[in-house]
Amino acid sequence: MTLRIIHLSDPHFGCENAAAVEAAIASANAYAPDLTIISGDLTSNGRSLQFKAASLWLKRLPQPQIVTPGNHDVPYWNLALRFFAPFSRYRRFIGEPLKTTADLPGLTVRSLNTARGAQPRLDWSKGAINLAAVEAAAQMQTSTTTLKVLVCHHPLLDPFAGTNTAAVTGAVHRGGAAARVLAEAGVDLILSGHVHNPFVFALPFAQGRSYAIGAGTLSRRTRGRAAGFSVIEADAETIKVTAMEWSGSQFHPATVWRLPRRTEAAQAEALHINGAALPICGEK
């Protein structure tokens, strides 16, 4: 059995690539995915009209869906809302921001919100993650053949470490600890957005069989690559990730990654560890 996930991110309604976001609807539906994932930054600055446009767009994408907020989905200019009710508009137009789930045949998905209205540092766009929530999300009691996925907006680790490709990275508070917990619990994929360029890399934990995967942007705020989204296809042995890019008239495959899945023995060991209390270090 092959599972198919459509992974879109960062449409930034208010600054969207109008042709690309419209074409993405037909492209996504043509794949007939098992699940559609949208990993945040639905809006440019959290305005109600932008959320309304995003909501209408989501309704035209394939179901079922997992949607998580990004740092641009809080009110940028309304400081009262930003500090005291940062996700009230998101909740009104999109849904619950804290955690969404999907349990499908052969596929289990959990999401966590890494966006914050404000943080005790100058750059509020960077993320933070609650390790207690990570531990709870990692407790996916499934079979050894189930693909296990965690969705958040910010990459938990720097996707471009050691390269000169990007100036913007996740820099998530407690991201490294969270990535280790997820990998050691046997989570196969951590999907995110935020950096506006697609990426794939193996996490440096648990024999390198947990992968961080980022989708590009569907906005006009590109960073060296065209607007795009990703298609993830998984069978028993391999996970294939295809980054689709917008040519101005259609989407075409631009980059393909093929990733080996962890063996059933390694997955069974992770499930055994997962059944016990996972040690968590660091503050919540």
Side-chain angles (χ1 to χ4, degrees), residues 4 17 61 63 132 156 194 212 217-218 228 255 279:
R4 183 175 291 119
N17 183 322
L61 289 169
Q63 297 285 344
L156 298 181
H194 186 61
T217 181
L218 286 169
T255 309

Side-chain angles (χ1 to χ4, degrees), residues 200-212:
V200 173
F201 66 92
L203 299 181
F205 315 113
Q207 300 176 326
R209 289 296 183 264
S210 293
Y211 302 100

Side-chain angles (χ1 to χ4, degrees), residues 12-15 42-55 72:
H12 286 281
F13 278 91
C15 188
L42 300 173
T43 71
S44 288
N45 47 38
R47 293 182 181 273
S48 294
L49 285 177
Q50 295 168 2
F51 273 122
K52 185 175 181 179
S55 176
H72 280 265

Side-chain angles (χ1 to χ4, degrees), residues 116-213:
R116 299 291 185 266
Q119 297 180 65
R121 53 176 166 175
L122 292 177
D123 190 346
W124 293 351
S125 73
K126 299 183 186 298
I129 197 161
N130 182 309
L131 289 182
V134 172
E135 183 181 29
Q139 305 295 322
M140 303 183 196
Q141 301 299 334
T142 60
S143 75
T144 57
T145 58
T146 299
L147 187 73
K148 288 166 277 296
V149 180
L150 188 283
V151 182
C152 56
H153 177 62
H154 297 82
L156 298 181
L157 298 177
D158 183 349
F160 305 114
T163 78
N164 297 318
T165 330
V168 180
T169 59
V172 176
H173 276 316
R174 301 174 292 277
R180 180 184 288 276
V181 167
L182 294 167
E184 292 179 350
V187 175
D188 298 289
L189 306 179
I190 302 174
L191 305 189
S192 62
H194 186 61
V195 297
H196 289 207
N197 283 328
F199 64 82
V200 173
F201 66 92
L203 299 181
F205 315 113
Q207 300 176 326
R209 289 296 183 264
S210 293
Y211 302 100
I213 298 177

Side-chain angles (χ1 to χ4, degrees), residues 176-283:
R180 180 184 288 276
V181 167
L182 294 167
E184 292 179 350
V187 175
D188 298 289
L189 306 179
I190 302 174
L191 305 189
S192 62
H194 186 61
V195 297
H196 289 207
N197 283 328
F199 64 82
V200 173
F201 66 92
L203 299 181
F205 315 113
Q207 300 176 326
R209 289 296 183 264
S210 293
Y211 302 100
I213 298 177
T217 181
L218 286 169
S219 76
R220 290 180 276 117
R221 300 181 63 208
T222 55
R223 296 177 181 142
R225 293 190 64 163
F229 66 93
S230 294
V231 181
I232 302 169
E233 297 168 299
D235 59 26
E237 297 181 352
T238 305
I239 300 163
K240 177 185 174 184
V241 183
T242 305
M244 307 293 292
E245 287 194 355
W246 179 242
S247 69
S249 60
Q250 62 183 354
F251 287 102
H252 62 90
T255 309
V256 178
W257 295 267
R258 288 180 174 84
L259 315 169
R261 290 187 67 171
R262 57 168 47 86
T263 64
E264 287 197 29
Q267 189 72 291
E269 181 181 356
L271 286 174
H272 175 73
I273 295 171
N274 197 22
L278 284 168
I280 298 292
C281 300
E283 60 179 352

